[in-house]
Each structure stands twice: as structure tokens, then as C-alpha cells.
Amino acid sequence: MSSFVRISGWGKCLPSRILSNHDLEKMVDTSDEWIRTRSGITERRVTPEGEFTSTIATVAAREALERAGVEADELDLIILATFTPDYPGLPATASLIQHALGAHNCGGFDLAAGCSGFVYGLVTGSQFVLSGTCRNVLVIGAETLSRVVDWKDRSTCVLFGDGAGAVVLSATEHEGGLVSSVLGSDGSGFQHLIVPAGGSRHPASHETVENRQHYIKMNGREVYKFAARILPRAFNESLQKAGLKAGDVDLLIPHQANVRIIDSARESLGLDREAVYVNVDRYGNTSAASIPMALCEAIDEGKVREGSLLAMVAFGAGLTWGSALWRWQG
Ligand code: UT7
């Protein structure tokens, strides 16, 4: 058994191509004004040809390992949260990352929980460390959403972006780390955010391709209502479990889907603007990558210090949600 788990390293990868709202105006019937006022997004990243989820994930992972001072062959486990794997199901993209890193002594698997994937991965990886099963676990959230959005569907293509973020979880005697967590799912809403074809229910066929069923379909209004309700609820539940209150949290890092969802949660929770991290304006919704990317930036900007209490709260397809309270050990 290890006494505590610590985030010993962190890293991110921003794909090089920037796609602005003005670029999108030339592709679909939309406007910079609509996108900014409805979502808060001004630009997003797109993965260039020849790169995939595994390659951007590997860049983020290398940075995290270097910061942690952990060699690849000291890793015991790789958890990749994604719904845009290199291949649909086989092999797991985590294995490709394991090979690229030269992590010869570890297992790896992909974790599918939509945009909540990183929080699910963080909580899962922490259990392996806290139980003493692993000393070092790499948790990555990485997505190439540009490969699964329908570039003809203005209601979705303006919202999403690509990116990757990674953390190394290590066993430590230094008090802190995971304080409490909540993981939830309500599968009755599975149709609201979905890639309808390519799985066992609707295997790929000429028809599914013609009907554009391999792209993301989203019922934006339903997902919005769910997100605005669940974000404060999951946050509060994790606080209650720990016997803490909203004012004890130094920084809320919510899933970056829409600035209006974040603002409405902030207001209902009575949190100051500085207590909530926002970068959706620059990257759009990067699904499972959004929280680890935001965490990296918050650390780089000096917003996370020894003893800081962080709340990482996500929601997404499934429908799923997750909240993790984390005491930063420095
Ligand atoms: O990661 C987890 C999941 N995702 C989310 O959390 C997303 C949740 N949903 C949302 O963020 C919002 O619902 C959206 C940003 C997707 C949409 O905002 P909204 O205020 O709910 O707009 P709406 O869906 O009610 O659409 C308003 C209008 C519609 O026209 P009509 O039917 O009122 O004439 C749309 O056709 O805006 C139209 N529209 C657009 N117009 C210009 C939809 N997309 C666009 C667009 N540009 N890109």
C-alpha cells in the first residue's frame, strides 16, 4: 500500500494547425459572432496530416515523464482516455503509446467515458497507486476530434478541437493527492452525444457512410441542460464526501465545453472568476484532453501551489460525469 498518490509530472501537446472562427466562416454557414457568443470559442487546434491520437498523446506523455523524472521503463500502467483512438477498438491506442515511449514494463488500456474520460482515468489510476499495485501510472487524455466531426454540420464542427494532456501519478509519503471523487453515468441519455455507426450495433457499410453516421451527432440543447445541472452537482457531491465546502477550493478546473456552462456553474456555486480556470476560447472542446491541458496551463501560470485544493469536474457522452478533489503536493 502506498500512503498517498501525487501528480509528479504533467505535459500537453497542442497540434500545430490553428483554425479560427473566421476560417470556419469560409467552410460552413456560421459567424465568428455566433460561435463566440454561444460557446466562448475563438479558435481551436487541428492535428496535421500524418499525426494521430497516439502521436499527440506521446508528445504530452514524454513531457510529463520528463517533468516527473520518471523513465518510461519505470511506468507500471498507461491509461488513455479517448473516444478518438487510432483504430476503432483494436488495438488499444495505449499499446501504441507504450511502444512509442519504450515503456517495456507496463500494461495499458484505453478508457471510454467521453469527455469525462480523464477524470475517470485519474481516479482509476490513483486506485492502482494507492493499493500498492503500481508505483507510476501515466494517465492521458487525448483526442483528434477533427477526424470525427462532420465538417458540413455547423452545429458541431465549430465546437470541437484537438489536443492531449498527460499526468504521471506516483506513490508518495507526502500527504495530499486524491481527496475524494464522484463518478456517475446516466445511460438513458446515450443518444444525445453519439457516433452512431462503426460499432456492433451499426457496423460500417456503404449506407452508414452515405448517411454520415461515422461523425459526431449531438443534441446540443439536451447536453447543455444536463451539463449545467450536473457540473455543480458533481462538484458539491465530491465536496460533501470530503467534508469540505466550495470556499475551500482554490481552483475549479471544469471540462471546457462552453464558457456559458462554466459561467452558470460558477455563479450558482458562488465562486470568484479567478477560482475557475477557463481556456475554451483557445482550444474549443477537446473532450477528454480538456482538463489535463487546462491543468498544465494553470500550473504554468502559477495558479496551482503546494497545498492548493483543485476540483476537476467533467461531463460528457454516456451521459457521464466525474469530479475529483485533489490536494496539490508541490
Ligand atoms: O463535451 C460535452 C458536451 N458538449 C457540450 O457540453 C455542448 C452543450 N451544448 C452547447 O454548448 C450549446 O447547446 C450549443 C453551443 C451547441 C448551441 O447553443 P444554443 O444556444 O443551445 O443554440 P441552439 O442549438 O439553440 O441553436 C440556435 C440557433 C439554431 O437556429 P434556429 O433553429 O433557432 O433557427 C441553429 O440552427 O443557432 C443555429 N446554429 C448556428 N448558427 C450559426 C447552430 N449552429 C450554428 C452555427 N452558426 N455554428
Side-chain angles (χ1 to χ4, degrees), residues 5-329:
V5 55
R6 161 175 183 258
I7 293 179
S8 56
W10 55 91
K12 69 176 194 289
C13 175
L14 300 176
S16 55
R17 199 176 143 214
I18 297 176
L19 190 71
S20 70
N21 291 350
H22 295 295
D23 296 328
L24 281 161
E25 284 174 347
K26 294 173 203 138
M27 297 161 63
V28 284
D29 180 16
T30 191
S31 66
D32 171 54
E33 207 256 333
W34 191 96
I35 303 169
R36 271 190 296 105
T37 54
R38 298 297 174 117
S39 71
I41 301 164
T42 54
E43 61 185 41
R44 71 284 296 141
R45 299 298 176 116
V46 172
T47 305
E49 218 174 292
E51 304 220 26
F52 335 98
T53 296
S54 64
T55 61
I56 63 171
T58 300
V59 171
R62 284 211 178 100
E63 195 176 296
L65 285 167
E66 196 174 307
R67 227 178 223 128
V70 169
E71 296 295 330
D73 58 13
E74 293 176 282
L75 281 175
D76 302 304
L77 184 65
I78 298 172
I79 302 175
L80 171 70
T82 190
F83 82 93
T84 50
D86 283 20
Y87 299 97
L90 281 180
T93 302
S95 292
L96 305 181
I97 298 166
Q98 170 269 317
H99 178 62
L101 291 174
H104 301 300
N105 301 311
C106 80
F109 60 88
D110 292 2
L111 187 158
C115 303
S116 310
F118 178 76
V119 173
Y120 271 65
L122 186 71
V123 173
T124 305
S126 295
Q127 310 312 311
F128 279 96
V129 174
L130 292 169
S131 68
T133 309
C134 297
R135 291 220 40 95
N136 296 300
V137 178
L138 177 64
V139 182
I140 312 168
E143 305 278 14
T144 46
L145 283 154
S146 61
R147 306 274 159 86
V148 295
V149 298
D150 185 345
W151 290 104
K152 292 190 169 163
D153 175 7
R154 69 175 184 172
S155 72
T156 51
C157 75
V158 304
L159 301 173
F160 297 103
D162 298 349
V167 295
V168 178
L169 302 177
S170 299
T172 181
E173 294 308 314
H174 190 158
E175 191 172 343
L178 186 66
V179 177
S180 72
S181 62
V182 169
L183 300 179
S185 170
D186 175 8
S188 69
F190 79 99
Q191 280 180 319
H192 295 320
L193 188 43
I194 192 165
V195 177
S200 65
R201 213 179 269 217
H202 301 292
S205 66
H206 286 295
E207 204 187 346
T208 61
V209 173
E210 267 163 29
N211 293 334
R212 309 183 79 75
Q213 287 185 300
H214 296 269
Y215 295 122
I216 295 180
K217 313 282 176 206
M218 181 169 76
N219 181 340
R221 279 179 209 182
E222 282 303 319
V223 178
Y224 188 98
K225 281 193 275 175
F226 157 72
R229 181 170 44 82
I230 210 70
L231 205 172
R233 198 185 101 185
F235 175 78
N236 280 327
E237 276 180 22
S238 55
L239 282 170
Q240 272 159 21
K241 275 193 173 179
L244 295 166
K245 49 190 192 316
D248 295 325
V249 172
D250 296 293
L251 191 64
L252 166 60
I253 305 178
H255 169 46
Q256 308 284 314
N258 184 323
V259 78
R260 287 159 53 213
I261 296 172
I262 297 173
D263 281 345
S264 102
R266 182 177 53 73
E267 280 164 25
S268 77
L269 292 166
L271 296 174
D272 293 340
R273 230 166 241 288
E274 310 77 65
V276 183
Y277 196 81
V278 178
N279 65 4
V280 67
D281 50 322
R282 282 172 287 141
Y283 308 127
N285 179 347
T286 58
S287 186
S290 90
I291 289 183
M293 280 168 49
L295 173 66
C296 288
E297 298 204 337
I299 298 167
D300 291 346
E301 290 166 24
K303 294 188 166 139
V304 179
R305 295 177 209 95
E306 166 108 44
S308 291
L309 184 66
L310 310 181
M312 293 174 260
V313 188
F315 50 84
L319 300 167
T320 55
W321 60 94
S323 176
L325 288 185
W326 197 276
R327 182 76 66 187
W328 193 258
Q329 287 114 320

